[in-house]
Amino acid sequence: MRSKKFLKAEQATLAWDVPGLVAGVDEAGRGPLAGPVVAAAVILDERSPIKGLADSKQLTAARRERLYDEIRAKALCCSVALASVEEIDQLNILQATMLAMRRAVQGLRLKPSKVLVDGNRLPPLDVLAEAIVSGDALVPAISAASILAKVTRDRLLCELHLLHPEYGFDRHKGYGTAQHMQALKKHGALAVHRRSFAPVARALADPAFDRDTAP
């Protein structure tokens, strides 16, 4: 069990700037009913600017894919990490998200002097960090991180679709759409379903089915 300090990591506003590399951090997949939560950390290269960076949710899938390749090619370094469904159910989604973000920062080849995180919470890090609300729309490095995290997670869900096409993961990406809920009630839960999430728990408790689908 994580400490309360970890759970309650709050936004820090830095009154000064620091020299050195700055990493942007964002996540994808806090809301879905299935699959891991994915986080990314990116240190951009000022000498190789990337045009069109924006909040990944505001971009088309095709544009995200193109930017994903450009970010991987031009960034000084980047890292993608995740927290598993098991960790989400054990820790809760907030703490699992913080865990994925910390892993992403720790996975960077270069150590940043400062980390900018989208949102109003900070993971425990050993470097200066600042939480920025709507940072994925304001800070290019965070935008880049949001794109890497989103594309990575979408690809994982498309791979899952190939194994279990009856759930439609390629379309809803694990979110609780009507199609997903109907498939969950009809076929049962997979190992990738987050049992700590209320819609999944309610579906599993439905007397209409009494089985747990194997992964």
Side-chain angles (χ1 to χ4, degrees):
M1 181 64 67
R2 299 286 172 179
S3 67
K4 292 183 178 179
K5 183 178 180 181
F6 180 54
L7 176 63
K8 296 182 178 179
E10 295 180 353
Q11 179 169 339
T13 301
L14 303 181
W16 68 94
D17 203 357
V18 292
L21 300 175
V22 176
V25 177
D26 201 1
E27 55 75 28
R30 286 185 64 169
L33 308 181
V37 59
V38 178
V42 178
I43 299 177
L44 294 175
D45 186 348
E46 294 181 354
R47 298 166 300 179
S48 299
I50 301 172
K51 295 182 180 180
L53 291 175
D55 175 4
S56 63
K57 297 184 292 296
Q58 303 304 317
L59 301 171
T60 65
R63 182 61 178 155
R64 286 196 298 265
E65 288 283 348
R66 289 194 293 271
L67 283 169
Y68 175 96
D69 291 337
E70 189 173 0
I71 293 164
R72 296 299 297 252
K74 291 184 175 181
L76 285 178
C77 62
C78 51
S79 170
V80 177
L82 58 81
S84 67
V85 171
E86 292 78 12
E87 288 171 323
I88 292 170
D89 286 340
Q90 178 185 2
L91 299 172
N92 77 40
I93 186 58
L94 172 60
Q95 294 193 63
T97 300
M98 297 296 105
L99 179 60
M101 286 182 168
R102 183 176 66 178
R103 287 170 173 166
V105 174
Q106 291 174 337
L108 288 168
R109 177 177 57 84
L110 303 173
K111 185 169 183 176
S113 298
K114 183 178 179 181
V115 174
L116 305 178
V117 180
D118 181 59
N120 61 1
R121 299 271 184 167
L122 290 172
L125 300 169
D126 61 355
V127 296
L128 291 174
E130 181 179 358
I132 302 178
V133 176
S134 299
D136 49 5
L138 301 172
V139 180
I142 298 179
S143 300
S146 76
I147 291 166
L148 293 193
K150 173 66 173 169
V151 171
T152 298
R153 190 177 191 282
D154 283 356
R155 289 178 178 180
L156 289 174
L157 271 292
C158 286
E159 291 175 5
L160 186 62
H161 171 74
L162 297 178
L163 296 174
H164 305 282
E166 66 273 20
Y167 287 85
F169 288 117
D170 61 328
R171 293 184 291 278
H172 55 66
K173 303 299 190 296
Y175 283 89
T177 64
Q179 177 198 13
H180 190 184
M181 295 308 299
Q182 290 172 359
L184 187 60
K185 292 179 179 180
K186 180 178 180 181
H187 302 291
L190 297 166
V192 296
H193 280 106
R194 303 172 180 178
R195 285 158 172 75
S196 59
F197 277 41
V200 177
R202 285 197 298 268
L204 291 174
D206 192 324
F209 68 88
D210 59 2
R211 65 183 180 278
D212 214 19
T213 303

